[in-house]
Amino acid sequence: MANAVSPPSAPLDSGATPLSAEQRLSFYRTMVLSRAIDERCLSLQRQGRIGFYVPASGQEGAQIGCAAALEPDDWIFPAYREIGLALWRGIPFRTLLDQFIGNAEDIMKGRQMPNHYGFRDKNFVVASSPIGTQITQAVGAAMAIQRRKAATVTATFFGDGATSSNDFHAGMNFAGVFRTPTIFFCQNNQWAISLPRERQTRSSTLAQKAEAYGFPGVVVDGTDVDAVYRAVRSARERAVRGEGPTLIEAQVYRYGPHSTSDDPRRYRADEELQAWKRRDPILRLKELLLSSGQWTEAKDAALLDEVRAQIAQAIEAAEAVPPVAPATLFEDTFARRTPQLEEEKAAFERLVQEGVIRP
Amino acid sequence: MTEMTLVQAVNRGLHEAMKGDPDVLVLGEDVGVDGGVFRATEGLIKEFGPDRVIDTPLSECGIVGTAIGMALYGLKPVAEIQFLDFIYPAFDQIVSELAKFRFRSGGQYPCHVVVRAPYGGGIKGGLYHSQSTEAYFCHTAGLKVAIPSTPADAKGLLLSAIHDEDPVIFLEPKRIYRAVSGEVPDGDHRVPFGSARTVVPGDDVSIFAYGAMVPVATEAAEALRGEGISAEVVDLRTLVPLDEATVLASVEKTGRAVVVHEAARFCGFGAELSAILAEKAFYSLKAPIARVTGFDTPFPYALENVYLPNAARVAHAARATVRSG
């Protein structure tokens, strides 16, 4: 099975690296937090406390390595499986949880399913569910960056399935033609819901698709946070120098289901999962930190306790927030309500008053 | 005031907006060097350069997707889709993305893109250069839909669209791009959205139309006048937002309504307009509402003249409503 093929295996510390001990430690902390949130949210969903969840376990190395290599001014056009990116950008778990619950403090005002969030002040564009639509948008924003002559880039995130979408091809093509400062970051997690990577495309790698559009594509071991960081850093430098886009294929594995709505045991073998878990991005980094003396098992246990306490506290606080107010439904369709929407809002409020609609 | 055709007025509107704001840019297929297949963007590349008049690869989802990214970043893109019939590869970007950005982000990300597209029949364009599918866009919350019928409105509505804060689908009646010339105000002339125009005042029956059907409705009203029937013609100008007040006031006065569009009848915009009249002007109506529309078939090539509503069909329907009550 093609999926069982291991990604290129380079030792984590392969020669010259721009990463300091502190940087690696902060990667590690965020990766551990990301994993712990995933585990907790899956159970919150099973308990009916959030409606849905999209786990990212197994992809933390790719997400944190990439996020760390970007600058805060770089715009992120995410898909819906990017919790590591959001955490690295400084979005507190509590803020994400407000969105998962859709409570009155959710910045998205309870409008989207869990994991579909965005934060303008963090240059983190709001995600949607259709596959690949963010890709052309990231290229358009990069065209705007060119027009503004800013020394920034856009980075767009998608999975192996999205490489079959219209927007992937249109976006790659526009990026090649206009040489936009765009990083196409594909997390090839081997499965698009039930479809394995080799059924998505006959290409031997996803990265090689960049060649047809006239720019480089690179494969990187997505379980190696250092390698991801270096690949993205170099793509970013290229983009800022005006040399155009890069496609990066980070090879990872999705440990959990596509979302809480499917059961991966229906379509894939457990041996495959276990093989990938042996090269878990968090374990690999932990081993490196332990062997270099920067970390101890005691510190690790303390970190886990701290992270779990932090998560529990956020859950308690977010669940105490009242639900989103019904009248907010009539905000933000347009900048200002049309006369028709004013009328519908007034009719809605009367129905609420009369008890016909019970929020 | 300068006399010009409708397509020239579109061109002048784009020019005015680009001159006034360096963030306004135009992108689409053949919009640059060629000046657009209908010449709507003629001369713009010479004046504003290829960075602001962008010839794109042949991909509608690429055009609208990149326009959305530009708008999120703060530019004001005006995307041209060469024919409305070719907009469907961009449909996902328009209905799933453009229309929903502000709402789904809780108001954090307004997304102001103007998508221009020539629409409608009458140019021997067959199925794929003739359709009038405005209802798809009217049915999607978060999009505004404007359709001018005169040169002055083409410029005035386009400038309002470009200065709006919301996404606008701007449909241009290509059949009358050059059919009529009209006086167009110079400078930053804007026609506000949601303000229908009473083209011909009348007392016996209200005829509602937009785009290329406005001259048809007007011709019908003239014929009816000769028969002693006083028809009022109302040009809706924007379907979203709809100027309900003007529509209702007209029917309250005349007691009869004929709705005209070249789009197919079933679930067309006329269905919405008829429903609004039935809900809100029921007690003013003296006769059933009549619709004069395209037929519920794909758009035909050789038979387009019998497919498209003409003045005779509009007058026939108006006469019937006047006689029936």
Side-chain angles (χ1 to χ4, degrees), chain A residues 9 13 15 23 46 51 54 64-65 130-131 187 193 219 237 242 244 252 262 268 305 318 336-337 351:
Chain A
S9 174
D13 195 3
Q23 278 175 305
R46 280 194 291 269
V54 181
I64 305 302
I131 296 301
Q187 291 169 74
I193 304 190
V219 176
E237 282 160 12
V252 293
D262 77 294
R268 67 183 195 191
D305 286 346
R336 270 170 296 284
R337 276 185 289 280
L351 289 173

Side-chain angles (χ1 to χ4, degrees), chain A residues 73 75-77 107-109 111-112 116 118-145 147-150 152 154 166-167 170-171 173-174 177-178 328-336 338-340 343, chain B residues 22-25 27 51-52 54-75 89 92-93 96-110 140-144 164-167 239-244 276 279-280:
Chain A
D73 284 345
W75 277 40
I76 286 174
F77 286 77
I107 295 170
M108 265 50 63
K109 304 188 190 177
R111 297 200 177 127
Q112 293 221 75
H116 296 61
F119 304 96
R120 184 154 198 133
D121 60 339
K122 302 287 186 192
N123 296 321
F124 195 102
V125 176
V126 66
S128 66
S129 302
I131 296 301
T133 46
Q134 72 279 15
I135 298 173
T136 46
Q137 295 163 8
V139 175
M143 290 167 80
I145 286 171
R147 172 138 189 80
R148 295 258 196 267
K149 298 184 174 26
T152 54
T154 62
N166 293 343
D167 282 281
N173 190 41
F174 273 57
V177 167
F178 296 108
T328 59
L329 174 61
F330 295 95
E331 294 166 8
D332 307 317
T333 296
F334 294 109
R336 270 170 296 284
T338 59
Q340 284 75 23
E343 198 181 300
Chain B
D23 283 342
V24 177
L25 57 83
L27 71 161
D51 293 341
R52 290 181 68 195
I54 304 169
D55 273 322
T56 66
L58 207 165
S59 166
E60 287 76 14
C61 88
I63 293 167
V64 178
T66 54
I68 289 171
M70 291 175 190
L72 295 173
Y73 209 82
L75 300 182
D92 197 15
Q93 284 291 345
S96 305
E97 301 290 323
L98 183 57
K100 294 175 174 55
F101 250 105
R102 184 190 291 277
F103 186 81
R104 81 181 195 220
S105 65
Q108 296 179 87
Y109 283 101
T140 299
L143 300 175
K144 292 180 177 174
D164 205 279
E165 296 169 87
D166 295 307
L239 306 187
V240 183
L242 177 68
D243 182 0
E244 271 188 33
I276 289 171
E279 285 173 348
K280 297 184 180 170

Side-chain angles (χ1 to χ4, degrees), chain B residues 104-319:
Chain B
R104 81 181 195 220
S105 65
Q108 296 179 87
Y109 283 101
C111 189
H112 171 234
V113 173
V114 177
V115 180
R116 291 181 41 245
Y119 86 96
I123 63 151
K124 286 281 173 203
L127 297 104
Y128 303 115
H129 298 79
S130 305
Q131 296 169 86
S132 183
T133 55
E134 61 279 3
Y136 294 147
F137 305 100
C138 296
H139 192 61
T140 299
L143 300 175
K144 292 180 177 174
V145 179
I147 310 184
S149 73
T150 67
D153 278 2
K155 181 178 175 184
L157 289 170
L158 182 57
L159 280 167
S160 289
I162 295 171
H163 291 101
D164 205 279
E165 296 169 87
D166 295 307
V168 179
I169 306 298
F170 192 84
L171 302 180
E172 299 167 6
K174 58 180 174 289
R175 177 191 189 178
I176 56 169
Y177 259 159
R178 293 182 177 80
V180 283
S181 283
E183 292 288 325
V184 176
D186 298 321
D188 186 9
H189 163 61
R190 298 189 202 178
V191 172
F193 279 18
S195 63
R197 179 175 68 102
T198 303
V199 184
V200 180
D203 301 314
D204 299 330
V205 55
S206 304
I207 306 176
F208 299 105
Y210 48 89
M213 287 296 109
V214 173
V216 171
T218 307
E219 193 190 334
E222 280 160 17
L224 291 165
R225 189 171 312 280
E227 303 167 21
I229 295 172
S230 165
E232 176 154 292
V233 176
V234 177
D235 176 358
L236 299 176
R237 283 175 158 167
T238 56
L239 306 187
V240 183
L242 177 68
D243 182 0
E244 271 188 33
T246 298
V247 169
L248 293 172
S250 178
V251 172
E252 280 156 15
K253 178 176 67 172
T254 63
R256 299 177 189 90
V258 176
V259 182
V260 186
H261 55 62
E262 57 187 283
R265 168 175 307 222
F266 196 79
C267 288
F269 190 77
E272 180 60 38
L273 207 64
S274 302
I276 289 171
L277 291 173
E279 285 173 348
K280 297 184 180 170
F282 184 76
Y283 297 107
S284 302
L285 287 171
K286 299 172 190 160
I289 300 160
R291 282 183 284 165
V292 182
T293 67
F295 298 103
D296 289 312
T297 68
F299 193 97
Y301 172 68
L303 296 175
E304 75 171 344
N305 288 338
V306 297
Y307 179 91
L308 288 167
N310 60 14
R313 271 175 68 195
V314 174
H316 179 76
R319 233 178 260 128

